[in-house]
Coordinates of all heavy atoms in Angstrom, one line a residue:
R10 N 11.4 32.8 -7.9 CA 11.5 34.2 -7.5 C 10.2 34.7 -6.9 O 10.2 35.7 -6.2 CB 11.8 35.0 -8.7 CG 13.2 34.7 -9.4 CD 13.4 35.6 -10.6 NE 14.7 35.3 -11.2 CZ 15.2 36.0 -12.3 NH1 14.5 37.0 -12.8 NH2 16.3 35.7 -12.8
G11 N 9.1 34.0 -7.1 CA 7.8 34.5 -6.6 C 7.6 34.1 -5.2 O 8.4 33.3 -4.6
P12 N 6.6 34.7 -4.5 CA 6.4 34.4 -3.1 C 6.0 32.9 -2.8 O 5.1 32.4 -3.5 CB 5.3 35.4 -2.6 CG 4.6 35.7 -3.9 CD 5.7 35.7 -5.0
A13 N 6.6 32.3 -1.8 CA 6.3 30.9 -1.6 C 5.0 30.7 -0.7 O 4.5 29.7 -0.6 CB 7.5 30.2 -0.9
R14 N 4.6 31.8 0.0 CA 3.5 31.8 0.9 C 2.3 32.3 0.2 O 2.3 33.0 -0.8 CB 3.8 32.6 2.2 CG 4.8 32.0 3.1 CD 5.2 32.9 4.2 NE 4.0 33.3 5.0 CZ 4.0 34.0 6.1 NH1 5.2 34.5 6.5 NH2 2.9 34.3 6.7
G15 N 1.1 32.0 0.8 CA -0.2 32.5 0.3 C -0.9 31.5 -0.6 O -0.6 30.4 -0.7
V16 N -2.0 32.0 -1.2 CA -3.0 31.2 -1.9 C -2.6 30.9 -3.3 O -3.2 30.1 -4.0 CB -4.4 31.8 -1.8 CG1 -4.9 31.9 -0.4 CG2 -4.4 33.1 -2.5
N17 N -1.6 31.6 -3.8 CA -1.2 31.4 -5.2 C 0.1 30.6 -5.4 O 1.0 30.8 -4.5 CB -1.0 32.8 -5.9 CG -2.4 33.5 -6.0 OD1 -2.7 34.4 -5.2 ND2 -3.1 33.2 -7.0
P18 N 0.2 29.9 -6.5 CA 1.5 29.1 -6.7 C 2.6 29.9 -7.3 O 2.3 31.0 -7.9 CB 1.0 28.0 -7.7 CG 0.0 28.7 -8.5 CD -0.8 29.6 -7.5
Q19 N 3.8 29.4 -7.1 CA 4.9 30.0 -7.8 C 4.9 29.4 -9.2 O 4.9 28.2 -9.4 CB 6.2 29.6 -7.1 CG 6.4 30.2 -5.7 CD 7.5 29.6 -5.0 OE1 7.5 28.5 -4.6 NE2 8.6 30.4 -4.7
V20 N 5.0 30.3 -10.2 CA 4.9 29.8 -11.6 C 5.9 30.7 -12.4 O 6.0 31.9 -12.3 CB 3.5 30.0 -12.2 CG1 3.5 29.4 -13.6 CG2 2.4 29.3 -11.4
G21 N 6.6 30.0 -13.3 CA 7.5 30.6 -14.3 C 7.2 30.3 -15.7 O 6.6 29.2 -16.0
C22 N 7.5 31.1 -16.6 CA 7.2 30.9 -18.0 C 8.4 31.4 -18.9 O 9.0 32.5 -18.7 CB 6.0 31.7 -18.4 SG 5.5 31.6 -20.2
V23 N 8.8 30.7 -19.9 CA 9.8 31.0 -20.9 C 9.1 30.9 -22.3 O 8.5 29.9 -22.6 CB 11.0 30.1 -20.8 CG1 12.0 30.5 -21.9 CG2 11.6 30.2 -19.5
L24 N 9.2 32.0 -23.1 CA 8.7 32.0 -24.5 C 9.9 31.7 -25.4 O 10.9 32.4 -25.4 CB 8.0 33.3 -24.8 CG 6.8 33.6 -24.0 CD1 6.2 35.0 -24.3 CD2 5.7 32.6 -24.2
L25 N 9.7 30.7 -26.3 CA 10.8 30.3 -27.2 C 10.4 30.5 -28.6 O 9.3 30.3 -29.0 CB 11.1 28.8 -27.0 CG 11.6 28.4 -25.6 CD1 11.8 26.8 -25.6 CD2 12.9 29.1 -25.2
A26 N 11.4 30.9 -29.4 CA 11.2 31.0 -30.8 C 11.3 29.6 -31.5 O 11.8 28.7 -30.8 CB 12.3 32.0 -31.4
P27 N 10.9 29.5 -32.7 CA 11.0 28.1 -33.3 C 12.4 27.6 -33.4 O 12.6 26.3 -33.4 CB 10.5 28.4 -34.8 CG 9.5 29.5 -34.6 CD 10.1 30.4 -33.5
D28 N 13.4 28.4 -33.3 CA 14.8 27.9 -33.4 C 15.3 27.6 -31.9 O 16.5 27.3 -31.8 CB 15.7 28.9 -34.1 CG 15.8 30.3 -33.4 OD1 15.1 30.4 -32.3 OD2 16.4 31.2 -33.9
G29 N 14.5 27.8 -30.9 CA 14.9 27.5 -29.5 C 15.4 28.7 -28.8 O 15.7 28.5 -27.6
R30 N 15.5 29.8 -29.4 CA 16.0 31.0 -28.8 C 15.0 31.5 -27.8 O 13.8 31.6 -28.1 CB 16.3 32.0 -29.9 CG 16.7 33.4 -29.4 CD 17.1 34.3 -30.6 NE 16.1 34.2 -31.6 CZ 15.0 35.0 -31.7 NH1 14.8 35.9 -30.7 NH2 14.2 34.9 -32.7
T31 N 15.4 32.0 -26.6 CA 14.5 32.6 -25.6 C 14.2 34.0 -26.1 O 15.0 34.8 -26.3 CB 15.2 32.6 -24.2 OG1 15.4 31.3 -23.8 CG2 14.3 33.3 -23.2
V32 N 12.8 34.2 -26.1 CA 12.3 35.5 -26.6 C 11.9 36.4 -25.4 O 12.1 37.6 -25.4 CB 11.2 35.3 -27.6 CG1 10.6 36.7 -28.0 CG2 11.6 34.5 -28.8
A33 N 11.3 35.8 -24.4 CA 10.8 36.5 -23.2 C 10.7 35.6 -22.1 O 10.5 34.4 -22.2 CB 9.5 37.3 -23.5
E34 N 10.7 36.1 -20.9 CA 10.5 35.4 -19.6 C 9.6 36.1 -18.7 O 9.4 37.3 -18.8 CB 11.8 35.2 -18.9 CG 12.9 34.4 -19.7 CD 14.2 34.3 -19.0 OE1 14.5 35.1 -18.1 OE2 15.0 33.3 -19.3
G35 N 8.9 35.3 -17.8 CA 8.1 36.0 -16.8 C 7.8 35.0 -15.7 O 8.1 33.8 -15.7
W36 N 7.3 35.6 -14.6 CA 7.0 34.8 -13.4 C 5.9 35.5 -12.6 O 5.7 36.7 -12.8 CB 8.2 34.5 -12.5 CG 8.8 35.7 -11.8 CD1 8.5 36.1 -10.5 CD2 9.8 36.6 -12.3 NE1 9.3 37.2 -10.2 CE2 10.1 37.5 -11.3 CE3 10.5 36.7 -13.5 CZ2 11.0 38.5 -11.4 CZ3 11.4 37.7 -13.7 CH2 11.7 38.6 -12.6
H37 N 5.2 34.8 -11.8 CA 4.1 35.3 -11.0 C 4.7 35.9 -9.7 O 5.4 35.3 -8.9 CB 3.1 34.2 -10.6 CG 1.9 34.7 -9.9 ND1 1.2 35.8 -10.3 CD2 1.3 34.2 -8.8 CE1 0.2 36.0 -9.5 NE2 0.2 35.0 -8.6
R38 N 4.3 37.2 -9.4 CA 4.8 37.9 -8.3 C 3.9 38.0 -7.1 O 4.2 38.7 -6.1 CB 5.2 39.3 -8.7 CG 6.5 39.3 -9.7 CD 6.6 40.7 -10.3 NE 7.9 40.7 -11.1 CZ 8.1 40.2 -12.3 NH1 7.1 39.5 -12.9 NH2 9.2 40.3 -12.9
G39 N 2.8 37.3 -7.1 CA 1.9 37.3 -6.0 C 0.4 37.6 -6.4 O 0.1 38.0 -7.5
A40 N -0.5 37.4 -5.4 CA -1.9 37.6 -5.7 C -2.2 38.9 -6.3 O -1.7 40.0 -5.8 CB -2.7 37.4 -4.4
G41 N -3.0 38.9 -7.3 CA -3.4 40.2 -8.0 C -2.5 40.7 -9.1 O -2.8 41.6 -9.8
T42 N -1.3 40.1 -9.2 CA -0.3 40.5 -10.2 C -0.5 39.6 -11.4 O -1.1 38.5 -11.3 CB 1.1 40.4 -9.7 OG1 1.4 39.0 -9.4 CG2 1.3 41.2 -8.4
P43 N 0.0 40.0 -12.6 CA -0.1 39.1 -13.8 C 0.5 37.7 -13.6 O 1.5 37.6 -12.9 CB 0.7 39.9 -14.8 CG 0.6 41.3 -14.4 CD 0.7 41.3 -12.9
H44 N -0.2 36.7 -14.1 CA 0.4 35.4 -14.1 C 1.6 35.3 -14.9 O 1.9 36.2 -15.7 CB -0.7 34.4 -14.5 CG -1.8 34.2 -13.5 ND1 -2.8 33.2 -13.6 CD2 -2.1 34.9 -12.4 CE1 -3.6 33.3 -12.6 NE2 -3.2 34.3 -11.8
A45 N 2.4 34.2 -14.8 CA 3.7 34.1 -15.4 C 3.6 34.2 -16.9 O 4.4 34.9 -17.6 CB 4.3 32.8 -15.0
E46 N 2.5 33.6 -17.5 CA 2.4 33.6 -19.0 C 2.1 35.1 -19.5 O 2.7 35.5 -20.4 CB 1.2 32.7 -19.4 CG 1.4 31.3 -19.0 CD 0.8 30.9 -17.7 OE1 0.9 31.7 -16.8 OE2 0.2 29.8 -17.6
V47 N 1.2 35.8 -18.8 CA 0.9 37.1 -19.1 C 2.1 38.1 -18.9 O 2.4 39.0 -19.7 CB -0.3 37.6 -18.3 CG1 -0.6 39.1 -18.6 CG2 -1.5 36.8 -18.7
D48 N 2.8 37.8 -17.8 CA 4.0 38.6 -17.5 C 5.0 38.5 -18.7 O 5.6 39.5 -19.1 CB 4.6 38.2 -16.2 CG 5.8 39.0 -15.8 OD1 5.7 40.2 -15.9 OD2 6.8 38.4 -15.4
A49 N 5.2 37.3 -19.2 CA 6.2 37.1 -20.3 C 5.6 37.7 -21.6 O 6.4 38.4 -22.3 CB 6.4 35.6 -20.5
L50 N 4.3 37.5 -21.8 CA 3.8 38.1 -23.1 C 3.8 39.6 -23.1 O 4.0 40.2 -24.1 CB 2.3 37.6 -23.2 CG 2.1 36.1 -23.6 CD1 0.6 35.8 -23.4 CD2 2.6 35.8 -25.0
S51 N 3.8 40.2 -21.9 CA 3.7 41.7 -21.8 C 5.1 42.3 -22.2 O 5.1 43.5 -22.5 CB 3.4 42.1 -20.3 OG 4.5 41.8 -19.5
R52 N 6.1 41.5 -22.3 CA 7.4 42.0 -22.7 C 7.6 42.0 -24.2 O 8.6 42.4 -24.7 CB 8.5 41.2 -22.1 CG 8.3 41.1 -20.5 CD 9.3 40.2 -19.8 NE 9.0 40.0 -18.4 CZ 9.2 40.9 -17.5 NH1 9.8 42.0 -17.8 NH2 8.8 40.7 -16.2
L53 N 6.5 41.6 -24.9 CA 6.6 41.5 -26.4 C 5.6 42.5 -27.0 O 4.6 42.9 -26.4 CB 6.3 40.1 -26.9 CG 7.2 39.0 -26.4 CD1 6.7 37.7 -26.9 CD2 8.6 39.3 -26.8
G54 N 5.9 42.9 -28.2 CA 4.9 43.8 -28.9 C 3.8 43.0 -29.6 O 3.8 41.8 -29.5
A55 N 2.9 43.7 -30.3 CA 1.8 43.1 -31.0 C 2.3 42.1 -32.0 O 3.3 42.3 -32.8 CB 1.0 44.1 -31.7
D56 N 1.8 40.9 -32.0 CA 2.1 39.8 -32.9 C 3.5 39.2 -32.8 O 3.8 38.3 -33.5 CB 1.9 40.2 -34.4 CG 0.5 40.5 -34.8 OD1 -0.4 39.9 -34.1 OD2 0.2 41.4 -35.6
E57 N 4.3 39.7 -31.8 CA 5.6 39.1 -31.6 C 5.6 37.7 -31.0 O 6.6 37.0 -31.1 CB 6.5 40.0 -30.8 CG 6.9 41.3 -31.5 CD 7.8 42.2 -30.7 OE1 8.0 41.9 -29.5 OE2 8.5 43.0 -31.3
A58 N 4.4 37.3 -30.4 CA 4.3 36.0 -29.8 C 3.8 35.0 -30.7 O 3.8 33.8 -30.4 CB 3.5 36.1 -28.5
R59 N 3.3 35.4 -31.9 CA 2.7 34.4 -32.8 C 3.7 33.4 -33.3 O 4.8 33.7 -33.7 CB 2.2 35.2 -34.0 CG 1.2 34.4 -34.9 CD 0.4 35.3 -35.8 NE -0.4 36.2 -35.0 CZ -1.5 35.9 -34.4 NH1 -2.0 34.7 -34.5 NH2 -2.2 36.8 -33.8
G60 N 3.3 32.1 -33.1 CA 4.2 31.0 -33.5 C 5.2 30.6 -32.5 O 5.9 29.6 -32.7
L61 N 5.2 31.2 -31.3 CA 6.2 30.9 -30.3 C 5.7 29.6 -29.4 O 4.6 29.2 -29.5 CB 6.4 32.0 -29.3 CG 7.0 33.3 -29.9 CD1 7.2 34.3 -28.8 CD2 8.2 33.1 -30.7
T62 N 6.7 29.1 -28.7 CA 6.4 28.0 -27.7 C 6.4 28.6 -26.3 O 7.4 29.3 -26.0 CB 7.4 26.9 -27.8 OG1 7.2 26.2 -29.1 CG2 7.2 25.9 -26.7
A63 N 5.4 28.4 -25.5 CA 5.4 28.8 -24.1 C 5.7 27.6 -23.2 O 5.0 26.6 -23.3 CB 4.0 29.3 -23.7
V64 N 6.8 27.7 -22.4 CA 7.2 26.6 -21.5 C 6.8 27.1 -20.1 O 7.3 28.1 -19.6 CB 8.7 26.4 -21.6 CG1 9.1 25.2 -20.6 CG2 9.0 26.0 -23.0
V65 N 5.9 26.4 -19.4 CA 5.3 26.9 -18.2 C 5.4 25.8 -17.1 O 5.2 24.6 -17.4 CB 3.8 27.3 -18.4 CG1 3.4 28.2 -17.2 CG2 3.6 28.1 -19.7
T66 N 5.7 26.2 -15.9 CA 5.8 25.2 -14.8 C 4.5 24.6 -14.4 O 4.5 23.5 -13.8 CB 6.5 25.8 -13.6 OG1 5.8 27.0 -13.2 CG2 7.9 26.2 -14.0
L67 N 3.4 25.3 -14.6 CA 2.1 24.8 -14.2 C 1.1 25.0 -15.4 O 1.2 26.0 -16.1 CB 1.6 25.7 -13.0 CG 0.2 25.3 -12.4 CD1 0.3 23.9 -11.7 CD2 -0.3 26.3 -11.4
E68 N 0.1 24.1 -15.5 CA -0.9 24.2 -16.5 C -1.5 25.6 -16.6 O -1.9 26.1 -15.5 CB -2.0 23.1 -16.3 CG -3.1 23.2 -17.3 CD -4.2 22.2 -16.9 OE1 -4.2 21.7 -15.8 OE2 -5.1 22.0 -17.8
P69 N -1.6 26.2 -17.7 CA -2.2 27.6 -17.8 C -3.6 27.5 -17.2 O -4.4 26.6 -17.5 CB -2.2 27.9 -19.3 CG -1.0 27.1 -19.8 CD -1.0 25.8 -19.0
C70 N -4.0 28.5 -16.4 CA -5.3 28.5 -15.8 C -6.4 28.8 -16.9 O -6.1 29.4 -17.9 CB -5.4 29.6 -14.7 SG -5.2 31.3 -15.2
D71 N -7.6 28.5 -16.6 CA -8.7 28.6 -17.5 C -9.9 29.3 -16.8 O -11.0 28.9 -17.1 CB -9.1 27.3 -18.1 CG -10.0 27.4 -19.3 OD1 -9.7 28.3 -20.2 OD2 -11.0 26.7 -19.5
H72 N -9.6 30.2 -15.9 CA -10.7 30.8 -15.2 C -10.4 32.3 -14.9 O -9.2 32.7 -15.0 CB -11.0 30.2 -13.8 CG -10.1 30.6 -12.7 ND1 -8.8 30.4 -12.8 CD2 -10.4 31.2 -11.5 CE1 -8.2 30.8 -11.6 NE2 -9.2 31.3 -10.9
T73 N -11.4 33.1 -14.7 CA -11.2 34.5 -14.4 C -11.3 34.7 -12.9 O -12.4 34.4 -12.2 CB -12.3 35.4 -15.1 OG1 -12.2 35.2 -16.5 CG2 -12.1 36.8 -14.7
G74 N -10.3 35.2 -12.3 CA -10.3 35.5 -10.8 C -9.9 37.0 -10.8 O -10.6 37.9 -11.3
R75 N -8.8 37.3 -10.0 CA -8.4 38.7 -10.0 C -7.7 39.1 -11.3 O -7.4 40.3 -11.6 CB -7.4 38.9 -8.8 CG -8.1 38.7 -7.5 CD -7.2 38.7 -6.3 NE -6.6 40.0 -6.0 CZ -5.9 40.3 -5.0 NH1 -5.6 39.3 -4.1 NH2 -5.4 41.5 -4.8

Side-chain angles (χ1 to χ4, degrees):
R10 298 182 182 181
R14 292 174 54 178
V16 299
N17 294 97
Q19 296 170 290
V20 184
C22 175
V23 177
L24 296 177
L25 300 176
D28 61 3
R30 175 176 46 89
T31 296
V32 178
E34 299 178 334
W36 70 91
H37 184 48
R38 291 166 172 79
T42 66
H44 289 188
E46 300 93 319
V47 175
D48 184 44
L50 290 170
S51 70
R52 304 174 191 282
L53 302 178
D56 291 331
E57 288 186 346
R59 193 163 301 281
L61 299 185
T62 292
V64 181
V65 195
T66 57
L67 182 69
E68 178 186 12
C70 69
D71 195 44
H72 82 300
T73 300
R75 296 172 69 175

